């Protein structure tokens, strides 16, 4: 994945625990890279190893680390210069979720070798929808839950999130039912 992702993991860890802990995590992950370049594509394995090592060093489950990362990502990308892309994706949570593929297409203009996920929405009503998540990568559904929680905060739209399909359990892709918990 692009260095932008690994830099975000670094930022998340150093903000909360300091740079010594980040160095310990890189050592544990056997990652000998001083500075991640955000526009450089790194093997996915590096990001997975950093998450596994963070889980070990911080004594938190990998799902929790991925969830924290997902919640962090909207504010991180907003602050790192992608605020306009976020703004263009919609002014409500539902509109934003409909436009996630469009958002990554725009990101793809900046990052030409992007291998983005794909999302689609079905069973849409004012109150709830089903979000389908397709990826070539494994194990990132907990990050999507964190992302949805981060977006829910960003749009001040409280929701509950229920996993309705699970790729690890043999489904073709992951899916989530998202329900607004306060009526508009
Ligand atoms: C402007 C904001 C955003 C930027 C700049 C961005 C950029 C990226 C980048 C660089 C990657 C790594 C893929 C690669 O390097 O091949 C990625 C992956 C991903 N993005 Fe985004 N993204 C943004 C917003 C979002 C949002 C709001 C979501 C919410 C669902 C999202 C969901 C994901 C997921 C789940 C992945 C993991 C890759 C996978 O599942 O295969 N992104 N994104």
């Amino acid at each position: 994945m692009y260095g932008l992702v690994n830099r975000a993991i670094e930022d998340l860890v150093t903000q909360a625990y300091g740079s010594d802990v980040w160095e310990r995590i890189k050592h544990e992950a056997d990652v000998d890279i001083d500075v991640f370049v955000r526009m450089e594509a790194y093997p996915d394995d590096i990001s997975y190893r950093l998450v596994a090592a963070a889980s070990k060093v911080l004594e938190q489950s990998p799902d929790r680390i991925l969830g924290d990362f997902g919640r962090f990502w909207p504010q991180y990308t907003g602050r790192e210069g992608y605020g306009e892309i976020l703004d263009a994706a919609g002014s409500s949570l539902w509109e934003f979720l409909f436009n996630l593929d469009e958002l990554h297409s725009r990101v793809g203009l900046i990052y030409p070798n992007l291998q983005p996920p794909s999302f689609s929405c079905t069973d849409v009503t004012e109150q709830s929808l089903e979000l389908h998540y397709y990826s070539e990568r494994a194990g990132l559904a907990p990050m999507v839950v964190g992302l949805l929680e981060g977006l829910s905060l960003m749009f001040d739209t409280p929701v509950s999130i229920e996993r309705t399909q699970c790729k690890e359990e043999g489904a073709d892709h992951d899916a989530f039912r998202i329900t607004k918990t306060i009526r508009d």
Side-chain angles (χ1 to χ4, degrees):
M1 284 198 256
Y2 273 105
L4 182 70
V5 171
N6 299 325
R7 282 177 84 109
I9 304 176
E10 174 174 359
D11 237 54
L12 178 65
V13 169
T14 46
Q15 269 183 33
Y17 304 100
S19 46
D20 289 356
V21 172
W22 173 242
E23 290 305 320
R24 269 172 54 207
I25 289 172
K26 278 203 297 186
H27 181 74
E28 175 69 33
D30 206 11
V31 168
D32 188 17
I33 295 170
D34 264 349
V35 178
F36 286 106
V37 178
R38 61 173 158 168
M39 299 280 300
E40 190 172 319
Y42 296 85
D44 281 3
D45 181 49
I46 291 191
S47 313
Y48 282 100
R49 267 162 39 210
L50 287 171
V51 170
S55 157
K56 196 163 169 198
V57 170
L58 302 175
E59 297 180 357
Q60 294 171 6
S61 70
D63 285 8
R64 161 116 193 252
I65 307 276
L66 284 168
D68 286 347
F69 178 80
R71 277 184 290 280
F72 184 65
W73 188 243
Q75 38 152 312
Y76 180 80
T77 49
R79 153 155 78 68
E80 286 295 304
Y82 305 97
E84 275 180 27
I85 296 183
L86 289 171
D87 288 347
S91 54
S92 71
L93 179 61
W94 266 206
E95 188 189 357
F96 194 94
L97 296 178
F98 299 152
N99 286 329
L100 281 172
D101 283 6
E102 172 74 23
L103 177 152
H104 280 110
S105 304
R106 285 172 196 234
V107 175
L109 299 175
I110 308 169
Y111 293 88
N113 295 319
L114 192 76
Q115 288 176 271
S118 178
F119 293 91
S120 65
C121 301
T122 60
D123 303 302
V124 181
T125 69
E126 259 310 304
Q127 277 317 113
S128 71
L129 59 74
E130 185 107 1
L131 182 77
H132 301 264
Y133 161 55
Y134 302 86
S135 170
E136 294 163 12
R137 302 180 173 94
L140 298 182
M143 171 180 156
V144 175
V145 174
L147 277 157
L148 293 170
E149 288 166 352
L151 294 174
S152 152
L153 275 178
M154 195 169 104
F155 288 106
D156 200 15
T157 304
V159 292
S160 65
I161 302 160
E162 181 201 347
R163 185 105 170 250
T164 48
Q165 270 182 219
C166 190
K167 210 160 81 166
E168 278 114 76
E169 289 168 9
D172 161 69
H173 64 276
D174 291 286
F176 308 87
R177 171 145 294 278
I178 304 170
T179 308
K180 290 182 188 165
T181 50
I182 296 173
R183 281 191 177 275
D184 279 336

